[in-house]
Amino acid sequence: MTPAGRLQDHLKHVVQKSGGQYRKVRWEGRRGCPDCFVWWKGGKSAFIEVKAPGDRYSKLQEREVARMQHDGIPVYTVSTNEEIDEIVGKIRHDTDV
């Protein structure tokens, strides 16, 4: 399994263990979407891009994420298990991330 795959597995585990839902994401007819969508009851949700340490966004991903964030959609990038744990906790508790 790739480093990014291991991180996605950790994200899925942490989200589900905390009572949330996890989905792998793919746009139809478009590229550049974040990897995952997570949510909890009450409308707490976010897209999460998982990058192995040292990986970067492509130009296309940068534009797509910037467009989403500009419109108020929460999108976060994680590269470690610790970042995943922190972001999931903050999303669940609706604090500024």
Side-chain angles (χ1 to χ4, degrees), residues 74-93:
V75 181
Y76 305 102
T77 304
V78 295
S79 295
T80 66
N81 287 344
E82 293 77 20
E83 288 175 346
I84 289 169
D85 297 343
E86 179 182 353
I87 294 296
V88 166
K90 288 181 179 183
I91 296 166
R92 286 185 57 223
H93 297 101

mmCIF file with all atom_site columns, all heavy atoms in Angstrom, residues 74-93:
data_model
loop_
_atom_site.group_PDB
_atom_site.id
_atom_site.type_symbol
_atom_site.label_atom_id
_atom_site.label_alt_id
_atom_site.label_comp_id
_atom_site.label_asym_id
_atom_site.label_entity_id
_atom_site.label_seq_id
_atom_site.pdbx_PDB_ins_code
_atom_site.Cartn_x
_atom_site.Cartn_y
_atom_site.Cartn_z
_atom_site.occupancy
_atom_site.B_iso_or_equiv
_atom_site.pdbx_formal_charge
_atom_site.auth_seq_id
_atom_site.auth_comp_id
_atom_site.auth_asym_id
_atom_site.auth_atom_id
_atom_site.pdbx_PDB_model_num
ATOM 1   N N   . PRO A 1 74 ? -15.157 23.904 3.027  1.00 0.00 ? 74 PRO A N   1
ATOM 2   C CA  . PRO A 1 74 ? -13.931 23.566 3.743  1.00 0.00 ? 74 PRO A CA  1
ATOM 3   C C   . PRO A 1 74 ? -13.155 22.437 3.048  1.00 0.00 ? 74 PRO A C   1
ATOM 4   O O   . PRO A 1 74 ? -13.719 21.378 2.773  1.00 0.00 ? 74 PRO A O   1
ATOM 5   C CB  . PRO A 1 74 ? -14.411 23.138 5.124  1.00 0.00 ? 74 PRO A CB  1
ATOM 6   C CG  . PRO A 1 74 ? -15.850 22.787 4.956  1.00 0.00 ? 74 PRO A CG  1
ATOM 7   C CD  . PRO A 1 74 ? -16.358 23.541 3.769  1.00 0.00 ? 74 PRO A CD  1
ATOM 8   N N   . VAL A 1 75 ? -11.899 22.729 2.744  1.00 0.00 ? 75 VAL A N   1
ATOM 9   C CA  . VAL A 1 75 ? -10.999 21.738 2.148  1.00 0.00 ? 75 VAL A CA  1
ATOM 10  C C   . VAL A 1 75 ? -9.689  21.809 2.919  1.00 0.00 ? 75 VAL A C   1
ATOM 11  O O   . VAL A 1 75 ? -9.118  22.883 3.089  1.00 0.00 ? 75 VAL A O   1
ATOM 12  C CB  . VAL A 1 75 ? -10.724 22.021 0.650  1.00 0.00 ? 75 VAL A CB  1
ATOM 13  C CG1 . VAL A 1 75 ? -9.808  20.953 0.072  1.00 0.00 ? 75 VAL A CG1 1
ATOM 14  C CG2 . VAL A 1 75 ? -12.020 22.114 -0.144 1.00 0.00 ? 75 VAL A CG2 1
ATOM 15  N N   . TYR A 1 76 ? -9.214  20.661 3.383  1.00 0.00 ? 76 TYR A N   1
ATOM 16  C CA  . TYR A 1 76 ? -7.983  20.589 4.156  1.00 0.00 ? 76 TYR A CA  1
ATOM 17  C C   . TYR A 1 76 ? -7.037  19.591 3.514  1.00 0.00 ? 76 TYR A C   1
ATOM 18  O O   . TYR A 1 76 ? -7.466  18.655 2.844  1.00 0.00 ? 76 TYR A O   1
ATOM 19  C CB  . TYR A 1 76 ? -8.275  20.162 5.600  1.00 0.00 ? 76 TYR A CB  1
ATOM 20  C CG  . TYR A 1 76 ? -9.278  21.067 6.253  1.00 0.00 ? 76 TYR A CG  1
ATOM 21  C CD1 . TYR A 1 76 ? -10.600 20.685 6.391  1.00 0.00 ? 76 TYR A CD1 1
ATOM 22  C CD2 . TYR A 1 76 ? -8.896  22.322 6.689  1.00 0.00 ? 76 TYR A CD2 1
ATOM 23  C CE1 . TYR A 1 76 ? -11.531 21.531 6.970  1.00 0.00 ? 76 TYR A CE1 1
ATOM 24  C CE2 . TYR A 1 76 ? -9.820  23.181 7.265  1.00 0.00 ? 76 TYR A CE2 1
ATOM 25  C CZ  . TYR A 1 76 ? -11.135 22.780 7.400  1.00 0.00 ? 76 TYR A CZ  1
ATOM 26  O OH  . TYR A 1 76 ? -12.046 23.623 7.961  1.00 0.00 ? 76 TYR A OH  1
ATOM 27  N N   . THR A 1 77 ? -5.753  19.792 3.756  1.00 0.00 ? 77 THR A N   1
ATOM 28  C CA  . THR A 1 77 ? -4.724  18.889 3.257  1.00 0.00 ? 77 THR A CA  1
ATOM 29  C C   . THR A 1 77 ? -4.012  18.270 4.456  1.00 0.00 ? 77 THR A C   1
ATOM 30  O O   . THR A 1 77 ? -3.657  18.989 5.397  1.00 0.00 ? 77 THR A O   1
ATOM 31  C CB  . THR A 1 77 ? -3.710  19.646 2.387  1.00 0.00 ? 77 THR A CB  1
ATOM 32  O OG1 . THR A 1 77 ? -4.412  20.299 1.334  1.00 0.00 ? 77 THR A OG1 1
ATOM 33  C CG2 . THR A 1 77 ? -2.673  18.692 1.792  1.00 0.00 ? 77 THR A CG2 1
ATOM 34  N N   . VAL A 1 78 ? -3.810  16.963 4.411  1.00 0.00 ? 78 VAL A N   1
ATOM 35  C CA  . VAL A 1 78 ? -3.112  16.260 5.491  1.00 0.00 ? 78 VAL A CA  1
ATOM 36  C C   . VAL A 1 78 ? -1.994  15.401 4.906  1.00 0.00 ? 78 VAL A C   1
ATOM 37  O O   . VAL A 1 78 ? -2.118  14.872 3.807  1.00 0.00 ? 78 VAL A O   1
ATOM 38  C CB  . VAL A 1 78 ? -4.077  15.384 6.320  1.00 0.00 ? 78 VAL A CB  1
ATOM 39  C CG1 . VAL A 1 78 ? -5.096  16.241 7.056  1.00 0.00 ? 78 VAL A CG1 1
ATOM 40  C CG2 . VAL A 1 78 ? -4.787  14.361 5.460  1.00 0.00 ? 78 VAL A CG2 1
ATOM 41  N N   . SER A 1 79 ? -0.902  15.298 5.674  1.00 0.00 ? 79 SER A N   1
ATOM 42  C CA  . SER A 1 79 ? 0.242   14.494 5.238  1.00 0.00 ? 79 SER A CA  1
ATOM 43  C C   . SER A 1 79 ? 0.757   13.552 6.320  1.00 0.00 ? 79 SER A C   1
ATOM 44  O O   . SER A 1 79 ? 1.716   12.824 6.088  1.00 0.00 ? 79 SER A O   1
ATOM 45  C CB  . SER A 1 79 ? 1.395   15.406 4.806  1.00 0.00 ? 79 SER A CB  1
ATOM 46  O OG  . SER A 1 79 ? 1.033   16.144 3.665  1.00 0.00 ? 79 SER A OG  1
ATOM 47  N N   . THR A 1 80 ? 0.139   13.619 7.499  1.00 0.00 ? 80 THR A N   1
ATOM 48  C CA  . THR A 1 80 ? 0.562   12.736 8.595  1.00 0.00 ? 80 THR A CA  1
ATOM 49  C C   . THR A 1 80 ? -0.671  12.273 9.372  1.00 0.00 ? 80 THR A C   1
ATOM 50  O O   . THR A 1 80 ? -1.725  12.909 9.318  1.00 0.00 ? 80 THR A O   1
ATOM 51  C CB  . THR A 1 80 ? 1.505   13.455 9.589  1.00 0.00 ? 80 THR A CB  1
ATOM 52  O OG1 . THR A 1 80 ? 0.772   14.490 10.261 1.00 0.00 ? 80 THR A OG1 1
ATOM 53  C CG2 . THR A 1 80 ? 2.737   14.033 8.892  1.00 0.00 ? 80 THR A CG2 1
ATOM 54  N N   . ASN A 1 81 ? -0.517  11.204 10.132 1.00 0.00 ? 81 ASN A N   1
ATOM 55  C CA  . ASN A 1 81 ? -1.598  10.741 11.000 1.00 0.00 ? 81 ASN A CA  1
ATOM 56  C C   . ASN A 1 81 ? -1.957  11.797 12.037 1.00 0.00 ? 81 ASN A C   1
ATOM 57  O O   . ASN A 1 81 ? -3.131  11.969 12.375 1.00 0.00 ? 81 ASN A O   1
ATOM 58  C CB  . ASN A 1 81 ? -1.209  9.437  11.697 1.00 0.00 ? 81 ASN A CB  1
ATOM 59  C CG  . ASN A 1 81 ? -1.211  8.248  10.761 1.00 0.00 ? 81 ASN A CG  1
ATOM 60  O OD1 . ASN A 1 81 ? -1.770  8.297  9.671  1.00 0.00 ? 81 ASN A OD1 1
ATOM 61  N ND2 . ASN A 1 81 ? -0.586  7.166  11.188 1.00 0.00 ? 81 ASN A ND2 1
ATOM 62  N N   . GLU A 1 82 ? -0.956  12.512 12.531 1.00 0.00 ? 82 GLU A N   1
ATOM 63  C CA  . GLU A 1 82 ? -1.198  13.549 13.534 1.00 0.00 ? 82 GLU A CA  1
ATOM 64  C C   . GLU A 1 82 ? -2.052  14.685 12.955 1.00 0.00 ? 82 GLU A C   1
ATOM 65  O O   . GLU A 1 82 ? -2.956  15.202 13.628 1.00 0.00 ? 82 GLU A O   1
ATOM 66  C CB  . GLU A 1 82 ? 0.126   14.094 14.078 1.00 0.00 ? 82 GLU A CB  1
ATOM 67  C CG  . GLU A 1 82 ? 0.923   13.085 14.890 1.00 0.00 ? 82 GLU A CG  1
ATOM 68  C CD  . GLU A 1 82 ? 1.667   12.036 14.032 1.00 0.00 ? 82 GLU A CD  1
ATOM 69  O OE1 . GLU A 1 82 ? 1.896   12.275 12.831 1.00 0.00 ? 82 GLU A OE1 1
ATOM 70  O OE2 . GLU A 1 82 ? 2.009   10.971 14.591 1.00 0.00 ? 82 GLU A OE2 1
ATOM 71  N N   . GLU A 1 83 ? -1.771  15.071 11.716 1.00 0.00 ? 83 GLU A N   1
ATOM 72  C CA  . GLU A 1 83 ? -2.583  16.108 11.065 1.00 0.00 ? 83 GLU A CA  1
ATOM 73  C C   . GLU A 1 83 ? -4.023  15.620 10.882 1.00 0.00 ? 83 GLU A C   1
ATOM 74  O O   . GLU A 1 83 ? -4.968  16.383 11.077 1.00 0.00 ? 83 GLU A O   1
ATOM 75  C CB  . GLU A 1 83 ? -1.983  16.503 9.717  1.00 0.00 ? 83 GLU A CB  1
ATOM 76  C CG  . GLU A 1 83 ? -0.715  17.304 9.819  1.00 0.00 ? 83 GLU A CG  1
ATOM 77  C CD  . GLU A 1 83 ? -0.074  17.582 8.473  1.00 0.00 ? 83 GLU A CD  1
ATOM 78  O OE1 . GLU A 1 83 ? -0.436  16.960 7.452  1.00 0.00 ? 83 GLU A OE1 1
ATOM 79  O OE2 . GLU A 1 83 ? 0.822   18.447 8.440  1.00 0.00 ? 83 GLU A OE2 1
ATOM 80  N N   . ILE A 1 84 ? -4.176  14.365 10.518 1.00 0.00 ? 84 ILE A N   1
ATOM 81  C CA  . ILE A 1 84 ? -5.518  13.791 10.365 1.00 0.00 ? 84 ILE A CA  1
ATOM 82  C C   . ILE A 1 84 ? -6.265  13.874 11.690 1.00 0.00 ? 84 ILE A C   1
ATOM 83  O O   . ILE A 1 84 ? -7.413  14.353 11.739 1.00 0.00 ? 84 ILE A O   1
ATOM 84  C CB  . ILE A 1 84 ? -5.441  12.336 9.867  1.00 0.00 ? 84 ILE A CB  1
ATOM 85  C CG1 . ILE A 1 84 ? -4.984  12.309 8.401  1.00 0.00 ? 84 ILE A CG1 1
ATOM 86  C CG2 . ILE A 1 84 ? -6.789  11.623 10.040 1.00 0.00 ? 84 ILE A CG2 1
ATOM 87  C CD1 . ILE A 1 84 ? -4.609  10.935 7.887  1.00 0.00 ? 84 ILE A CD1 1
ATOM 88  N N   . ASP A 1 85 ? -5.649  13.433 12.762 1.00 0.00 ? 85 ASP A N   1
ATOM 89  C CA  . ASP A 1 85 ? -6.290  13.451 14.074 1.00 0.00 ? 85 ASP A CA  1
ATOM 90  C C   . ASP A 1 85 ? -6.699  14.874 14.458 1.00 0.00 ? 85 ASP A C   1
ATOM 91  O O   . ASP A 1 85 ? -7.814  15.100 14.944 1.00 0.00 ? 85 ASP A O   1
ATOM 92  C CB  . ASP A 1 85 ? -5.359  12.870 15.144 1.00 0.00 ? 85 ASP A CB  1
ATOM 93  C CG  . ASP A 1 85 ? -5.014  11.410 14.899 1.00 0.00 ? 85 ASP A CG  1
ATOM 94  O OD1 . ASP A 1 85 ? -5.707  10.728 14.109 1.00 0.00 ? 85 ASP A OD1 1
ATOM 95  O OD2 . ASP A 1 85 ? -4.028  10.943 15.509 1.00 0.00 ? 85 ASP A OD2 1
ATOM 96  N N   . GLU A 1 86 ? -5.828  15.829 14.228 1.00 0.00 ? 86 GLU A N   1
ATOM 97  C CA  . GLU A 1 86 ? -6.101  17.225 14.578 1.00 0.00 ? 86 GLU A CA  1
ATOM 98  C C   . GLU A 1 86 ? -7.252  17.796 13.741 1.00 0.00 ? 86 GLU A C   1
ATOM 99  O O   . GLU A 1 86 ? -8.183  18.403 14.278 1.00 0.00 ? 86 GLU A O   1
ATOM 100 C CB  . GLU A 1 86 ? -4.839  18.072 14.367 1.00 0.00 ? 86 GLU A CB  1
ATOM 101 C CG  . GLU A 1 86 ? -5.043  19.539 14.684 1.00 0.00 ? 86 GLU A CG  1
ATOM 102 C CD  . GLU A 1 86 ? -3.806  20.372 14.431 1.00 0.00 ? 86 GLU A CD  1
ATOM 103 O OE1 . GLU A 1 86 ? -2.728  19.819 14.137 1.00 0.00 ? 86 GLU A OE1 1
ATOM 104 O OE2 . GLU A 1 86 ? -3.930  21.607 14.509 1.00 0.00 ? 86 GLU A OE2 1
ATOM 105 N N   . ILE A 1 87 ? -7.205  17.607 12.439 1.00 0.00 ? 87 ILE A N   1
ATOM 106 C CA  . ILE A 1 87 ? -8.233  18.160 11.545 1.00 0.00 ? 87 ILE A CA  1
ATOM 107 C C   . ILE A 1 87 ? -9.597  17.527 11.840 1.00 0.00 ? 87 ILE A C   1
ATOM 108 O O   . ILE A 1 87 ? -10.604 18.226 11.921 1.00 0.00 ? 87 ILE A O   1
ATOM 109 C CB  . ILE A 1 87 ? -7.845  17.944 10.062 1.00 0.00 ? 87 ILE A CB  1
ATOM 110 C CG1 . ILE A 1 87 ? -6.606  18.755 9.697  1.00 0.00 ? 87 ILE A CG1 1
ATOM 111 C CG2 . ILE A 1 87 ? -9.009  18.276 9.137  1.00 0.00 ? 87 ILE A CG2 1
ATOM 112 C CD1 . ILE A 1 87 ? -6.759  20.239 9.778  1.00 0.00 ? 87 ILE A CD1 1
ATOM 113 N N   . VAL A 1 88 ? -9.635  16.228 12.012 1.00 0.00 ? 88 VAL A N   1
ATOM 114 C CA  . VAL A 1 88 ? -10.904 15.558 12.314 1.00 0.00 ? 88 VAL A CA  1
ATOM 115 C C   . VAL A 1 88 ? -11.489 16.107 13.617 1.00 0.00 ? 88 VAL A C   1
ATOM 116 O O   . VAL A 1 88 ? -12.680 16.414 13.690 1.00 0.00 ? 88 VAL A O   1
ATOM 117 C CB  . VAL A 1 88 ? -10.741 14.021 12.370 1.00 0.00 ? 88 VAL A CB  1
ATOM 118 C CG1 . VAL A 1 88 ? -11.953 13.353 13.000 1.00 0.00 ? 88 VAL A CG1 1
ATOM 119 C CG2 . VAL A 1 88 ? -10.497 13.476 10.965 1.00 0.00 ? 88 VAL A CG2 1
ATOM 120 N N   . GLY A 1 89 ? -10.666 16.260 14.630 1.00 0.00 ? 89 GLY A N   1
ATOM 121 C CA  . GLY A 1 89 ? -11.142 16.818 15.901 1.00 0.00 ? 89 GLY A CA  1
ATOM 122 C C   . GLY A 1 89 ? -11.693 18.216 15.736 1.00 0.00 ? 89 GLY A C   1
ATOM 123 O O   . GLY A 1 89 ? -12.757 18.557 16.281 1.00 0.00 ? 89 GLY A O   1
ATOM 124 N N   . LYS A 1 90 ? -11.022 19.034 14.971 1.00 0.00 ? 90 LYS A N   1
ATOM 125 C CA  . LYS A 1 90 ? -11.479 20.410 14.770 1.00 0.00 ? 90 LYS A CA  1
ATOM 126 C C   . LYS A 1 90 ? -12.761 20.473 13.946 1.00 0.00 ? 90 LYS A C   1
ATOM 127 O O   . LYS A 1 90 ? -13.648 21.265 14.257 1.00 0.00 ? 90 LYS A O   1
ATOM 128 C CB  . LYS A 1 90 ? -10.376 21.235 14.117 1.00 0.00 ? 90 LYS A CB  1
ATOM 129 C CG  . LYS A 1 90 ? -9.244  21.515 15.073 1.00 0.00 ? 90 LYS A CG  1
ATOM 130 C CD  . LYS A 1 90 ? -8.159  22.345 14.434 1.00 0.00 ? 90 LYS A CD  1
ATOM 131 C CE  . LYS A 1 90 ? -7.061  22.624 15.448 1.00 0.00 ? 90 LYS A CE  1
ATOM 132 N NZ  . LYS A 1 90 ? -6.017  23.483 14.904 1.00 0.00 ? 90 LYS A NZ  1
ATOM 133 N N   . ILE A 1 91 ? -12.883 19.644 12.926 1.00 0.00 ? 91 ILE A N   1
ATOM 134 C CA  . ILE A 1 91 ? -14.113 19.644 12.123 1.00 0.00 ? 91 ILE A CA  1
ATOM 135 C C   . ILE A 1 91 ? -15.293 19.210 12.994 1.00 0.00 ? 91 ILE A C   1
ATOM 136 O O   . ILE A 1 91 ? -16.350 19.833 12.975 1.00 0.00 ? 91 ILE A O   1
ATOM 137 C CB  . ILE A 1 91 ? -13.985 18.717 10.893 1.00 0.00 ? 91 ILE A CB  1
ATOM 138 C CG1 . ILE A 1 91 ? -12.912 19.214 9.931  1.00 0.00 ? 91 ILE A CG1 1
ATOM 139 C CG2 . ILE A 1 91 ? -15.332 18.626 10.165 1.00 0.00 ? 91 ILE A CG2 1
ATOM 140 C CD1 . ILE A 1 91 ? -12.510 18.184 8.877  1.00 0.00 ? 91 ILE A CD1 1
ATOM 141 N N   . ARG A 1 92 ? -15.101 18.166 13.745 1.00 0.00 ? 92 ARG A N   1
ATOM 142 C CA  . ARG A 1 92 ? -16.183 17.635 14.603 1.00 0.00 ? 92 ARG A CA  1
ATOM 143 C C   . ARG A 1 92 ? -16.650 18.649 15.620 1.00 0.00 ? 92 ARG A C   1
ATOM 144 O O   . ARG A 1 92 ? -17.823 18.673 15.999 1.00 0.00 ? 92 ARG A O   1
ATOM 145 C CB  . ARG A 1 92 ? -15.705 16.393 15.354 1.00 0.00 ? 92 ARG A CB  1
ATOM 146 C CG  . ARG A 1 92 ? -15.593 15.177 14.479 1.00 0.00 ? 92 ARG A CG  1
ATOM 147 C CD  . ARG A 1 92 ? -15.239 13.951 15.276 1.00 0.00 ? 92 ARG A CD  1
ATOM 148 N NE  . ARG A 1 92 ? -16.215 13.711 16.323 1.00 0.00 ? 92 ARG A NE  1
ATOM 149 C CZ  . ARG A 1 92 ? -15.900 13.366 17.557 1.00 0.00 ? 92 ARG A CZ  1
ATOM 150 N NH1 . ARG A 1 92 ? -14.656 13.211 17.924 1.00 0.00 ? 92 ARG A NH1 1
ATOM 151 N NH2 . ARG A 1 92 ? -16.843 13.147 18.447 1.00 0.00 ? 92 ARG A NH2 1
ATOM 152 N N   . HIS A 1 93 ? -15.746 19.481 16.100 1.00 0.00 ? 93 HIS A N   1
ATOM 153 C CA  . HIS A 1 93 ? -16.091 20.436 17.134 1.00 0.00 ? 93 HIS A CA  1
ATOM 154 C C   . HIS A 1 93 ? -16.317 21.845 16.581 1.00 0.00 ? 93 HIS A C   1
ATOM 155 O O   . HIS A 1 93 ? -16.433 22.791 17.350 1.00 0.00 ? 93 HIS A O   1
ATOM 156 C CB  . HIS A 1 93 ? -15.033 20.430 18.230 1.00 0.00 ? 93 HIS A CB  1
ATOM 157 C CG  . HIS A 1 93 ? -14.962 19.105 18.926 1.00 0.00 ? 93 HIS A CG  1
ATOM 158 N ND1 . HIS A 1 93 ? -13.984 18.167 18.643 1.00 0.00 ? 93 HIS A ND1 1
ATOM 159 C CD2 . HIS A 1 93 ? -15.790 18.531 19.823 1.00 0.00 ? 93 HIS A CD2 1
ATOM 160 C CE1 . HIS A 1 93 ? -14.206 17.097 19.373 1.00 0.00 ? 93 HIS A CE1 1
ATOM 161 N NE2 . HIS A 1 93 ? -15.280 17.282 20.090 1.00 0.00 ? 93 HIS A NE2 1
#
